[in-house]
Amino acid sequence: MKKILTIFVIFILSAGTIKAQEDAFTLPKVYLGLGTGINAYTGLLGVAANVRVLDKTFIEGGLGLGGWGYKYSFGLRYDFKTERTFGLGINYTGATGLDNLEMDLETIDGTEKKTSLECLSGGTIDLKGRFSFKAGQKNRFYLDLGYAFPLEERYWKVKNGVILSDVSEAALDITQPGGFMIGLGFLFGLANERY
């Protein structure tokens, strides 16, 4: 009887170990979700897609609404582990811009004047670190931190001939695409694949 019990316990422990190994190597290939942030690859509010091309390497993309029009992004990310992890990524992020934006801005003579602006389309190269946390069996919550490097110096121009003060120009430069990045999101894991 002791031999049968010992064999049964060994079998249960072995099956649990095999099952745990199978679970560890069955990972979602595709993640779809929602994201938000400042200079985030999904914009202020948008959708995200991550596709696993190797066990720790992803192609990612985002579409959303940003402060400079619609936003779109694509890039690569490498995660150092497969579950709770830190990863590094690089993205190209573009903004469509805005036409005929009117704002009251300070002019060079110190008075405020209604100013007609064109927010030009443009892009940034984003370098980021991502902290991912497993949520349930397949899903992930993430936090992105990084910097978006603008590809042009200025993504706006005055349309009605108003000469802006240095303070107004600096404020517009801060709000255009580029600068410190923070993003938050939730991704739903789909299409499991063994690794």
Side-chain angles (χ1 to χ4, degrees), residues 91-94 121-126 148-155 176-178:
N91 289 58
Y92 170 80
T93 301
S121 63
T124 61
I125 298 295
D126 310 339
F149 295 91
L151 298 176
E152 300 285 334
E153 184 177 337
R154 186 159 280 172
Y155 289 121
Q176 74 179 7

Side-chain angles (χ1 to χ4, degrees), residues 23-193:
D23 288 346
F25 292 98
T26 302
L27 303 169
K29 182 171 179 63
V30 177
Y31 291 89
L32 296 176
L34 298 172
T36 185
I38 298 168
N39 286 314
Y41 80 115
T42 57
L44 295 172
L45 182 61
V47 294
N50 288 210
V51 178
R52 188 186 303 275
V53 291
L54 296 171
D55 64 338
K56 298 176 187 174
T57 305
F58 292 85
I59 295 173
E60 62 181 18
L63 289 172
L65 185 60
W68 214 257
Y70 294 104
K71 201 161 200 181
Y72 56 93
S73 181
F74 55 89
L76 289 172
R77 191 183 76 253
Y78 178 81
D79 290 345
F80 290 95
K81 294 181 182 177
T82 55
E83 292 190 13
R84 185 177 358 168
T85 185
F86 175 74
L88 295 174
I90 183 169
N91 289 58
Y92 170 80
T93 301
T96 60
L98 300 166
D99 285 332
N100 300 321
L101 179 65
E102 291 196 353
M103 301 175 72
D104 289 327
L105 294 172
E106 183 181 80
T107 63
I108 198 164
D109 62 7
T111 62
E112 280 198 3
K113 189 169 184 181
K114 190 168 284 297
T115 306
S116 180
L117 296 170
E118 183 178 356
C119 299
L120 306 171
S121 63
T124 61
I125 298 295
D126 310 339
L127 299 178
K128 66 182 178 183
R130 172 171 287 184
F131 300 92
S132 292
F133 308 94
K134 195 173 174 186
Q137 290 298 315
K138 301 180 186 178
N139 309 322
R140 287 188 176 191
F141 172 78
Y142 70 84
L143 167 67
D144 285 343
L145 296 173
Y147 197 86
F149 295 91
L151 298 176
E152 300 285 334
E153 184 177 337
R154 186 159 280 172
Y155 289 121
W156 57 268
K157 67 180 179 182
V158 176
K159 294 176 70 175
N160 62 346
V162 173
I163 300 173
L164 299 176
S165 70
D166 291 343
V167 172
S168 293
E169 287 188 356
L172 289 170
D173 288 343
I174 288 171
T175 58
Q176 74 179 7
F180 177 73
M181 173 204 314
I182 183 168
L184 297 169
F186 191 83
L187 298 169
F188 298 93
L190 310 171
N192 278 12
E193 202 167 278

